[in-house]
Amino acid sequence: MAAIDVRGLQREYKSGLKAVRGIDFSVAPGEVYGFLGPNGAGKTTTVRMLVTLLRPTGGSATVAGFDVASEPARVRERIGVALQEAALDLLMTGRELMELQATLHGIPAREVRSRAEELIGRVGLSEAARRRVATYSGGMRRRLDLAMALIHEPEVLFLDEPTTGLDPTSRATLWDEVRRLKADGTTVFLTTQYLEEADQLADRVGIIADGLIVAEGTPAALKAEIGLPHLDISFAECSDLVQARELLLGFGELRPAPEGVDVSVAVAAGAAEIAPVVRVLDEAGFTVAALQLVAPSLDDVFAEKTGRRLEGAAEPVAAPA
Amino acid sequence: MTRVVLALARRAIRGNLRRPQYLAPLVIFPTLFLAVNVGGLTETTSLEGFPEVRGFLDFQLAGALTQSLLLGGVSTGIACALEIEGGFFDRLVASPIPRVAIVLGRLVATGLIAAVQVLLFLALGLAFGAEIVGGVLGGLVVLVIGVVAGIGFGAIGQTIALRAKNASTVQGIFPLVLVILFASSAFFPRALLSAPADTISRFNPLSYVAEALRDPIISTVSLAPSIEGLAAAAGIALAATGLSAVALRGRLRDA
């Protein structure tokens, strides 16, 4: 049985906006599923439907084996939720919030304190536990949010953009916790707009754009779909580029060289081809000034599928074929 | 569910205590109003038709208390709206608890705060020379009716918050609260109001709440006004709590 199973899920708002336009995907137990897309793509709407905060207007979805529309209470018992913009009561202390969350999840009164202490310690907030949440940094709030989502050891954990706006250290801490959860066998549904995050954490990735899933698979498979890695080479002095290109054709297809690069060649074997390439160029008298192995990224996948970049460059890239 | 309701009530009370700027008006406003009224309108007690009272403060205490309880309702609404704006409300909704517990938790807190408001204003009145003619029993009647009315006003505030989803809208009902209060017999006996104020006040449930709060202070406990007041307060509480629950369901459906 899938931990999450979504079939033709739709959400149309009263305004007529179709935020999610019929999506299908399935997440296996223990899997980390990265749900990737730009702002406004439909990620948060999808999460809100899966955690029973929003009713679907079409299609169906089950979480932990229960239908989100007809059995929402059962779903809520089995999930942990850390929504976008850590939803915390700033007037309470970290410990008070943890204890409240434990009570809301029906943890016996005698276990509430110890469970709260354990989780607070796990996310490194023991020293701040007695302070009001208003005094916490963004990273601390996110960690507390995550700890609260884990208080009842959920079968499925939903993390909606958990690292947006965090500094690199806080982001790394959260990534470590997600990896630990994966090792413990927790299913994690992670929405993010950071490609690196999905690449690092997710077993599989679903890319959503304009309310539709445009690609799905493991990060490696998605990247492999759109092409081979390539070597970007720059020479130290004005060289005979025609001869260089002829030599490099023996390794793979030549690609249009980006600005500042003399030759770009696709290399099927990736890093293993660097040494032979350099050797051939050296023997022919070329001095290599810079060489970079460029592997396709999830951003390339996103661009290939949607015709625009997910993060970074604002300018559109070539439209998908 | 009781455990969850109490936990949510405890949290709401903590929140109120840690946000004194929302609690202070519940005391300061009605107290200032009481002082101004008592200072300037004492002679009205000698008007023909004015009920038999020891002093104008005794008569006005119930008005101040009603005003304070109404402001408590506004404060409850603001707290609920802030919770929605901040996203914490979603956390509660995504928890495996009955939705009605979310509504009841805050109302239990509002009821406890209302009890403190009643005791505070009675103590204030006693300190400045008022007398509770109904004695301990009278005090208890005021306490019970005050708590029920406070819960009702809180439920109204919560309903508005669930519909409006933002604190500024809830804050905006403050002038309306004053209008409804002045269109009742909270500050002046119904018998001395001229048309159409007397008619409006007759149909204003606040009149019955205020009169029931006043009766045990200015006379021995009488059944009729107490029952009328309790019925009005309970009616407001039940209707508004129901509306609050409906508003919550509507909010979840339309979110």
Side-chain angles (χ1 to χ4, degrees), chain A residues 2-7 50 60-68 71 75:
Chain A
I4 303 172
D5 193 44
V6 172
R7 296 289 153 229
L50 294 178
S60 66
T62 62
V63 175
F66 296 98
D67 190 280
V68 296
E71 302 167 292
V75 171

Side-chain angles (χ1 to χ4, degrees), chain A residues 33-44 84 160-161 164 189-195 197-198 205-215 298-299 302 306 308-311:
Chain A
Y33 189 87
F35 204 46
L36 192 63
N39 286 328
K43 298 188 303 289
T44 295
Q84 209 174 346
D160 191 10
E161 301 199 13
T164 298
F189 187 87
L190 168 84
T191 80
T192 181
Q193 48 182 314
Y194 297 131
L195 299 155
E197 189 161 277
V205 169
I207 297 178
I208 186 168
D210 300 325
L212 290 170
I213 291 187
V214 294
L298 283 177
D299 192 27
F302 187 82
T306 68
R308 56 181 191 267
R309 293 282 175 191
L310 183 60
E311 62 181 1

Side-chain angles (χ1 to χ4, degrees), chain B residues 164-232:
Chain B
K165 300 168 201 166
N166 68 77
S168 53
T169 303
V170 182
Q171 238 158 352
I173 67 167
F174 177 67
L176 189 64
V177 165
L178 287 183
V179 170
I180 295 169
L181 183 65
F182 283 108
S184 76
S185 55
F187 295 114
F188 218 61
R190 244 192 293 168
L192 291 181
L193 294 173
S194 52
D198 58 340
T199 310
I200 294 170
S201 73
R202 195 181 325 132
F203 290 102
N204 185 345
L206 272 191
S207 296
Y208 299 94
V209 172
E211 286 165 14
L213 293 172
R214 177 180 300 130
D215 183 67
I217 298 174
I218 63 171
S219 68
T220 54
V221 178
S222 325
L223 208 55
S226 298
I227 288 177
E228 283 174 7
L230 189 60

Side-chain angles (χ1 to χ4, degrees), chain A residues 11 13-14 48 52-54 76-77 81 83 87-89 91-93 96-97 100-101 103-109 112 132 145 148, chain B residues 3-4 7-8 10-11 14-19 83 86-97 99 249 251-255:
Chain A
R11 175 68 201 195
Y13 288 98
K14 276 184 173 174
R48 290 180 75 83
T52 78
L53 284 175
L54 197 57
R76 287 195 288 269
E77 285 168 6
V81 184
L83 293 171
L88 303 168
D89 183 342
L91 295 171
M92 294 179 79
T93 67
E96 286 167 352
L97 271 179
L100 174 67
Q101 185 78 355
T103 304
L104 296 181
H105 280 276
I107 291 169
V112 163
R132 288 193 197 171
D145 199 17
M148 289 174 73
Chain B
R3 186 175 164 227
V4 170
L8 291 175
R10 194 162 50 239
R11 171 184 161 262
R14 268 190 189 133
N16 272 304
L17 294 174
R18 290 172 188 176
R19 198 164 35 201
E83 196 165 276
F88 193 79
F89 194 84
D90 280 340
R91 178 183 295 284
L92 298 179
V93 172
S95 304
I97 58 172
R99 305 291 166 101
R249 215 170 37 227
R251 185 187 175 278
L252 297 174
R253 189 178 56 243
D254 300 334

Side-chain angles (χ1 to χ4, degrees), chain B residues 24-226:
Chain B
L26 277 54
V27 178
I28 294 171
F29 240 126
T31 305
L32 286 176
F33 213 79
L34 182 65
V36 170
N37 272 358
V38 171
L41 300 169
T42 301
E43 290 306 310
T44 54
T45 55
S46 55
L47 287 172
E48 194 177 335
F50 203 94
E52 197 66 36
V53 289
R54 283 184 63 258
F56 195 55
L57 174 62
D58 303 51
F59 184 87
Q60 284 291 306
L61 257 185
L65 189 46
T66 309
Q67 188 182 12
S68 177
L69 294 170
L70 275 170
L71 293 177
V74 177
S75 175
T76 296
I78 291 171
C80 179
L82 289 173
E83 196 165 276
I84 293 170
E85 284 180 15
F88 193 79
F89 194 84
D90 280 340
R91 178 183 295 284
L92 298 179
V93 172
S95 304
I97 58 172
R99 305 291 166 101
V100 71
I102 301 170
V103 170
L104 292 180
R106 193 166 283 287
L107 293 184
V108 168
T110 305
L112 289 171
I113 291 168
V116 174
Q117 288 171 270
V118 170
L119 295 174
L120 191 73
F121 275 93
L122 289 181
L124 194 71
L126 291 172
F128 283 91
E131 187 184 331
I132 301 170
V133 178
V136 175
L137 177 64
L140 282 174
V141 169
V142 174
L143 185 65
V144 170
I145 294 172
V147 167
V148 176
I151 290 172
F153 301 149
I156 293 172
Q158 192 162 244
T159 305
I160 294 168
L162 287 166
R163 289 275 181 217
K165 300 168 201 166
N166 68 77
S168 53
T169 303
V170 182
Q171 238 158 352
I173 67 167
F174 177 67
L176 189 64
V177 165
L178 287 183
V179 170
I180 295 169
L181 183 65
F182 283 108
S184 76
S185 55
F187 295 114
F188 218 61
R190 244 192 293 168
L192 291 181
L193 294 173
S194 52
D198 58 340
T199 310
I200 294 170
S201 73
R202 195 181 325 132
F203 290 102
N204 185 345
L206 272 191
S207 296
Y208 299 94
V209 172
E211 286 165 14
L213 293 172
R214 177 180 300 130
D215 183 67
I217 298 174
I218 63 171
S219 68
T220 54
V221 178
S222 325
L223 208 55
S226 298

